[in-house]
Amino acid sequence: MSISNKISDSSVRRISIYLRILERMEKNGDETVSSEELSDHSGTTAAQVRKDLSSFGSFGKRGLGYGVSELALCIRKIIGVDRSWRVALVGVGRIGSALVDWGGFLDRGYDIVAILDVDPSKIGQKWSGLTVCDMDDFEDVVREQGVELIILAVPVEAVSDVVDRIADVGIRGILNFAPTTLRVPEGITVKDVNMVMELEALSFTLNQQKLKE
Amino acid sequence: MSISNKISDSSVRRISIYLRILERMEKNGDETVSSEELSDHSGTTAAQVRKDLSSFGSFGKRGLGYGVSELALCIRKIIGVDRSWRVALVGVGRIGSALVDWGGFLDRGYDIVAILDVDPSKIGQKWSGLTVCDMDDFEDVVREQGVELIILAVPVEAVSDVVDRIADVGIRGILNFAPTTLRVPEGITVKDVNMVMELEALSFTLNQQKLKE
DNA sequence: ACTAATATGTGAAGCTTTTCACAAGTAAAA
DNA sequence: TTTTACTTGTGAAAAGCTTCACATATTAGT
């Protein structure tokens, strides 16, 4: 009931998925949805959906289901996307520049307000309307722009220094694209996006299947 | 001991991380490594490292630790990256094209051998040495190129059709970048890469921290 | 040969997450 | 009003995962 009990990471992930389903349904004009429908579309079970949601409150009506837009609103509040977040991208290499170009973050309430790099040939360039800043000015840029989250897309060798500066300037959240485990002080949250790791999990599974034959 | 007991997804993920650490150590010239060192670098516990590894066999020497390159080799075999995989990219939109440009897959044994799209303005174009093929020829391309894995980077609306064709042509692994849960037949493995979901998990945590104050 | 120091491999305990099963609430039809 | 059909919310059971603790094995020094 209260949000104070710890919510598991997997539960948060699933809730994020439910939100995406609800938004499609909202567009589609659906008014109510059952836990079973949500589970069908998210690849989990109806009981799981209800458990996930019930840890934040009672959003549904017995016998009826959940109100689509009502539930979507609640979830947005829960995961904090009822407002936009100010994000800085650090590192405009291959991945970094792809992320800026993509634009998929802004659509979902993550607003890239600054781009930084150490490479003199990149500093001053424009990337989708933003000028690449010198990493030397990192702390100033963060303060001026009110940056709350960092998307970290620098080479592995540079990670440790940048993480220190992120911590020092008081930022509490990092989305890490570098293929290494970040060591951060207490109070800073890191989420990793590691495409190669996912591919390796894939090939592991396929390998296992082959061995069983 | 035997690989027949089910290995958890989180264990496979960690093993993938250990491999990355081992490769850094290999380059560094280190010869042996203890479970504690591995846990330090991967953000887990020594017991966890040993449990993870022991489900595949006994690779270490009591009192000594693990041989770095020996263990790396074993892990490569376990996750199936002791050889290269033939991958096709479906969808050359913003994300898709960024992935090709990136090149980080090839480095790790995932060889992009074909690129496909439905957009006539893209078909025939060259992307890092490969000509974009017409999605109409999907089945032929898959067979000619011996494609084993698909990187799926198409819009949500197109997902369902493409997944059907992937299943029909006999491919068993999909790395999904579309922000939706794929419904696939038994025997096909899907791994999702969902950057926005990670960001939402981040903002959830930051939100919670703020509420506790 | 013996002792000290080190570090693996693993059964068992402890903890977390998922699934089950059902009481309780809602709406529409008879 | 009563019945019927449905669906949530939630303790309790089951399953799964992580941590503990220690027997076991190896090397180096005395």
Side-chain angles (χ1 to χ4, degrees):
Chain A
M1 202 69 56
S2 81
I3 310 186
S4 59
N5 354 353
K6 270 170 217 158
I7 309 294
S8 73
D9 212 59
S10 27
S11 182
V12 176
R13 267 201 177 64
R14 283 192 300 266
I15 284 176
S16 189
I17 294 174
Y18 305 152
L19 177 56
R20 213 136 290 133
I21 296 166
L22 289 166
E23 285 171 344
R24 267 215 300 288
M25 289 182 155
E26 233 173 351
K27 259 188 207 159
N28 207 34
D30 300 344
E31 300 208 333
T32 63
V33 61
S34 69
S35 57
E36 203 182 339
E37 276 178 278
L38 277 173
S39 72
D40 272 359
H41 288 88
S42 59
T44 180
T45 64
Q48 182 80 80
V49 172
R50 295 200 297 275
K51 257 271 147 69
D52 284 338
L53 296 177
S54 74
S55 50
F56 296 102
S58 286
F59 306 119
K61 278 201 177 122
R62 299 186 178 202
L64 242 185
Y66 302 88
V68 169
S69 48
E70 188 192 325
L71 183 56
L73 198 72
C74 291
I75 292 184
R76 276 194 208 98
K77 270 185 198 156
I78 290 168
I79 60 184
V81 291
D82 52 337
R83 58 142 176 141
S84 77
W85 290 80
R86 298 178 71 79
V87 182
L89 170 74
V90 178
V92 208
R94 284 261 164 76
I95 295 196
S97 55
L99 292 173
V100 189
D101 279 347
W102 176 41
F105 292 125
L106 181 57
D107 296 347
R108 312 240 10 130
Y110 298 94
D111 197 355
I112 298 181
V113 295
I115 302 176
L116 299 112
D117 206 300
V118 287
D119 182 346
S121 74
K122 283 172 189 156
I123 294 165
Q125 276 190 11
K126 285 245 173 187
W127 278 98
S128 58
L130 288 168
T131 306
V132 177
C133 299
D134 191 333
M135 196 56 201
D136 284 349
D137 305 325
F138 177 68
E139 289 74 11
D140 294 336
V141 172
V142 165
R143 274 187 278 266
E144 276 163 29
Q145 293 295 331
V147 171
E148 301 161 288
L149 294 174
I150 297 286
I151 295 178
L152 187 63
V154 303
V156 172
E157 315 81 64
V159 160
S160 150
D161 286 342
V162 177
V163 167
D164 288 345
R165 292 176 69 183
I166 291 172
D168 286 346
V169 80
I171 285 175
R172 320 260 298 260
I174 303 175
L175 184 67
N176 174 42
F177 282 84
T180 185
T181 307
L182 266 49
R183 268 187 282 195
V184 294
E186 184 91 355
I188 296 188
T189 310
V190 179
K191 298 287 164 189
D192 296 295
V193 176
N194 195 324
M195 294 164 274
V196 170
M197 207 162 83
E198 299 297 334
L199 270 176
E200 290 185 351
L202 253 190
S203 51
F204 169 79
T205 308
L206 300 190
N207 233 20
Q208 296 292 95
Q209 290 176 354
K210 211 165 274 181
L211 291 177
K212 274 198 188 146
E213 290 164 9
Chain B
M1 200 67 60
S2 82
I3 310 185
S4 58
N5 358 349
K6 269 171 218 158
I7 310 294
S8 74
D9 213 59
S10 27
S11 182
V12 176
R13 266 201 177 63
R14 283 191 300 266
I15 285 177
S16 189
I17 294 173
Y18 305 153
L19 176 57
R20 214 137 290 134
I21 297 166
L22 289 166
E23 285 172 342
R24 266 215 301 286
M25 288 183 156
E26 233 174 350
K27 258 188 210 161
N28 207 34
D30 301 344
E31 300 207 334
T32 63
V33 61
S34 68
S35 56
E36 202 181 340
E37 275 177 279
L38 278 173
S39 72
D40 271 359
H41 288 88
S42 58
T44 179
T45 64
Q48 182 79 82
V49 172
R50 294 201 297 276
K51 257 271 145 73
D52 284 338
L53 296 177
S54 75
S55 50
F56 295 102
S58 285
F59 306 119
K61 279 202 177 123
R62 300 187 176 201
L64 241 185
Y66 302 88
V68 169
S69 48
E70 187 192 325
L71 184 56
L73 198 70
C74 291
I75 293 183
R76 275 192 208 100
K77 269 184 199 158
I78 290 167
I79 60 184
V81 291
D82 52 339
R83 57 137 175 147
S84 76
W85 291 79
R86 298 179 72 78
V87 181
L89 171 72
V90 178
V92 207
R94 284 263 165 73
I95 296 195
S97 55
L99 292 173
V100 189
D101 280 348
W102 177 41
F105 292 125
L106 180 57
D107 296 347
R108 311 241 10 130
Y110 298 94
D111 198 356
I112 298 182
V113 294
I115 302 176
L116 299 112
D117 207 300
V118 287
D119 183 345
S121 75
K122 283 171 189 157
I123 295 166
Q125 276 191 11
K126 284 248 175 185
W127 277 99
S128 59
L130 288 169
T131 306
V132 177
C133 299
D134 191 333
M135 195 56 200
D136 284 349
D137 306 325
F138 177 67
E139 289 75 10
D140 293 336
V141 172
V142 165
R143 275 187 278 264
E144 276 164 30
Q145 294 295 330
V147 172
E148 303 161 286
L149 294 174
I150 298 286
I151 295 178
L152 187 63
V154 301
V156 173
E157 314 81 65
V159 161
S160 150
D161 286 342
V162 177
V163 167
D164 289 345
R165 294 176 67 182
I166 291 172
D168 286 346
V169 82
I171 286 175
R172 320 260 298 260
I174 304 176
L175 184 67
N176 173 42
F177 283 84
T180 185
T181 308
L182 265 48
R183 269 186 283 192
V184 294
E186 184 91 353
I188 297 189
T189 310
V190 179
K191 298 288 163 189
D192 296 294
V193 176
N194 194 325
M195 293 163 275
V196 170
M197 203 161 86
E198 298 298 334
L199 271 176
E200 289 184 352
L202 253 189
S203 50
F204 169 80
T205 307
L206 300 189
N207 234 18
Q208 296 294 94
Q209 289 176 353
K210 212 165 275 179
L211 292 177
K212 275 198 188 147
E213 289 165 9

